[in-house]
């Protein structure tokens, strides 16, 4: 009955208007949210902000940059929350959930951490203090506690944290976060873990190991920065394998980039790719939600990083919905 009602609702709104509904459909599929990343400079664009607050599409926001270490603790012990606070305030206006991003990452890290030559116990206490302060300030959130700690071959990524403490910083970060807010959902987040493979196997082993040690890992974030035509065929099975560990799973940074210029054929394939990802999350009960890494090509990170590539988001740079938008709808309806 619920499914029939949802289909009627969708068909009705599709035929009568351009009403957006990515989040409505996600919730009808039993998920907690459909969401998007956003960034502080974007909040000056009024049309952008209007759509960002459209809860038919988005019930969750992730700050793309402002909660990262270089922005929150640029000097030791001196915390600056203004950027993150602005995004939380924006989310609160519309009762949207917030995903804190992130506590510990090798990138966009403050130089005092990388260049401090700290010993093991000092660095562990720095990690604990950073995670604890962030998670306490932003209570009641979902958190990417660890971001990108694995290499593609499944080995541990070298970073100031790994090189100094081995894997001890991982448990320290999670434990500090749990203590700071027992209700926060705590995730480990990474890319290239969408399909089965060495890195996904390493993630499974790591989460198993951490949880066996009593480290409070609640979820695995699967970033999903994908390339048109490149959704791994094993994505559904892989998400299921993560979920079988007893943790939540979330698609945390979805986008599907292409070689420019945009063509109708590429847009059609991109639509299929978005649909495939959504179907995979839908099929796995413990997959709780999907976040796109910004909803419009106007503010996508892709062209700045991959020369000649872009058009990765479900809306184009003029805020017009692309076929990908319909792909997401179809994915939820499957
Ligand atoms: O803030 C400076 C600004 O002062 C300066 O004028 C400008 C000139 O380039 O750079 C600005 O910093 C940029 C920053 O975003 C804020 O806009 C950096 O150059 C740029 O490299 C940085 O990119 C971010 C990237 O992470 C860094 O790795 C992207 O916006 C952000 O979307 C991206 O997000 C990551 C996730 O955190 C983790 N997973 C992958 C994902 C995509 O790379």
């Amino acid at each position: 009955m619920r499914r029939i009602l949802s289909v009627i609702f969708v068909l009705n709104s599709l035929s009568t208007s351009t009403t957006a509904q990515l989040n409505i459909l996600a919730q009808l599929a039993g998920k907690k949210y459909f969401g998007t990343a956003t960034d502080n400079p974007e909040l000056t664009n009024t049309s952008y902000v209007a759509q960002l607050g459209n809860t038919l599409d988005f019930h969750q926001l992730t700050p793309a940059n402002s909660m990262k270490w270089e922005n929150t603790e640029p000097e030791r012990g001196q915390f600056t929350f203004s950027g993150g606070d602005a995004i939380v305030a924006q989310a609160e206006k519309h009762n949207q959930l917030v995903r804190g991003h992130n506590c510990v990452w090798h990138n966009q890290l403050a130089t005092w951490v990388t260049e401090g030559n700290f010993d093991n116990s000092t660095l562990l206490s720095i990690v604990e203090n950073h995670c604890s302060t962030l998670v306490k300030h932003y209570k009641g959130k979902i958190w990417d506690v660890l971001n990108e700690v694995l290499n593609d071959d499944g080995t541990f990524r070298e970073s100031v944290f790994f090189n100094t403490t081995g894997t001890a910083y991982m448990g320290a970060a999670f434990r500090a976060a749990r203590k700071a807010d027992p209700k926060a959902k705590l995730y480990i987040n990474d890319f290239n873990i969408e399909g089965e493979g060495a890195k996904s196997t390493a993630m499974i082993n790591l989460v198993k190991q951490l949880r066996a040690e009593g480290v409070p890992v609640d979820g695995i974030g699967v970033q999903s920065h994908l390339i048109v035509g490149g959704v791994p065929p094993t994505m559904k099975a892989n998400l299921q394998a993560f979920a079988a560990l007893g943790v939540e799973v979330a698609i945390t940074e979805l986008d599907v980039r292409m070689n420019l210029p945009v063509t109708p054929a590429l847009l059609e394939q991109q639509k299929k790719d978005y649909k495939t990802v959504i179907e995979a999350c839908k099929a796995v009960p413990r997959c709780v939600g999907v976040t796109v890494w910004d909803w419009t090509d106007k503010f996508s990170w892709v062209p700045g990083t991959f020369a000649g590539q872009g058009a990765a988001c479900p809306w184009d740079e003029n805020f017009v919905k692309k076929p990908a938008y319909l792909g997401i709808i179809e994915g939820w309806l499957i």
Side-chain angles (χ1 to χ4, degrees):
M1 186 59 184
R2 192 162 160 237
R3 184 168 161 78
I4 293 169
L5 281 176
S6 74
V7 172
I8 290 170
F9 173 84
V10 170
L11 293 179
N12 194 31
S13 36
L14 274 179
S15 60
T16 54
S17 71
T18 53
T19 305
Q21 53 213 340
L22 305 185
N23 176 59
I24 298 293
L25 289 180
Q27 294 195 342
L28 284 167
K31 307 303 174 188
K32 291 184 183 165
Y33 60 82
F34 191 91
T36 180
T38 187
D39 206 354
N40 297 70
E42 302 163 18
L43 301 182
T44 55
N45 183 318
T46 46
S47 314
Y48 174 87
V49 170
Q51 172 56 25
L52 189 68
N54 179 352
T55 52
L56 297 176
D57 276 325
F58 308 125
H59 180 50
Q60 180 271 329
L61 303 185
T62 305
N65 284 298
S66 49
M67 289 186 190
K68 291 171 178 173
W69 200 311
E70 65 177 6
N71 295 319
T72 48
E73 196 184 2
E75 300 298 334
R76 188 170 180 183
Q78 289 175 23
F79 285 85
T80 53
F81 295 120
S82 52
D85 286 355
I87 290 182
V88 170
Q90 168 65 29
E92 283 175 351
K93 277 187 212 162
H94 302 282
N95 282 322
Q96 291 163 318
L97 305 170
V98 172
R99 180 177 204 93
H101 178 82
N102 49 58
C103 294
V104 182
W105 191 27
H106 64 278
N107 204 353
Q108 291 177 285
L109 186 53
T111 47
W112 68 267
V113 182
T114 37
E115 291 171 10
N117 283 315
F118 298 110
D119 63 20
N120 178 60
S121 66
T122 309
L123 191 57
L124 287 177
S125 73
I126 286 169
V127 164
E128 284 164 359
N129 185 52
H130 185 75
C131 294
S132 166
T133 307
L134 246 64
V135 174
K136 202 174 279 174
H137 181 82
Y138 296 110
K139 276 209 166 183
K141 310 285 182 272
I142 310 158
W143 268 98
D144 289 325
V145 175
L146 294 183
N147 197 37
E148 303 177 3
V149 303
L150 294 169
N151 293 316
D152 282 354
D153 65 2
T155 55
F156 291 116
R157 181 191 289 277
E158 300 223 351
S159 66
V160 65
F161 305 110
F162 182 73
N163 296 346
T164 310
T165 78
T167 57
Y169 77 92
M170 301 183 185
F174 273 104
R175 288 193 164 104
R178 174 64 94 230
K179 204 169 158 202
D181 181 4
K183 290 196 176 140
K185 284 281 179 197
L186 307 180
Y187 274 68
I188 181 167
N189 189 48
D190 217 320
F191 62 93
N192 287 351
I193 54 164
E194 292 73 34
E196 292 169 351
K199 194 171 185 181
S200 293
T201 302
M203 178 59 82
I204 288 172
N205 291 336
L206 176 59
V207 170
K208 246 188 219 166
Q209 177 67 31
L210 288 170
R211 282 166 60 89
E213 290 165 8
V215 174
V217 183
D218 298 320
I220 300 177
V222 180
Q223 291 187 7
S224 308
H225 293 293
L226 299 167
I227 299 172
V228 159
V231 183
T234 54
M235 187 160 185
K236 198 182 292 181
N238 191 53
L239 296 184
Q240 188 52 56
F242 288 165
L245 296 169
V247 295
E248 285 187 358
V249 176
I251 306 295
T252 53
E253 305 185 12
L254 174 62
D255 53 21
V256 185
R257 61 186 184 267
M258 60 181 73
N259 286 324
L260 301 174
V262 171
T263 65
L266 285 167
L267 290 175
E268 204 43 42
Q269 182 59 47
Q270 186 184 49
K271 174 186 171 186
K272 286 187 188 142
D273 295 333
Y274 268 96
K275 180 179 172 183
T276 306
V277 173
I278 299 300
E279 269 183 74
C281 179
K282 187 179 178 198
V284 176
R286 280 205 175 109
C287 181
V288 297
V290 176
T291 306
V292 286
W293 205 242
D294 227 319
W295 54 271
T296 164
D297 292 336
K298 186 176 178 67
F299 297 127
S300 171
W301 68 290
V302 170
T305 302
F306 298 101
Q309 296 182 45
C313 303
W315 279 257
D316 73 12
E317 61 277 7
N318 298 312
F319 304 159
V320 176
K321 289 171 186 167
K322 292 154 65 178
Y325 183 92
L326 204 55
I328 300 172
I329 288 181
E330 289 178 7
W332 289 130
L333 287 175
I334 283 289

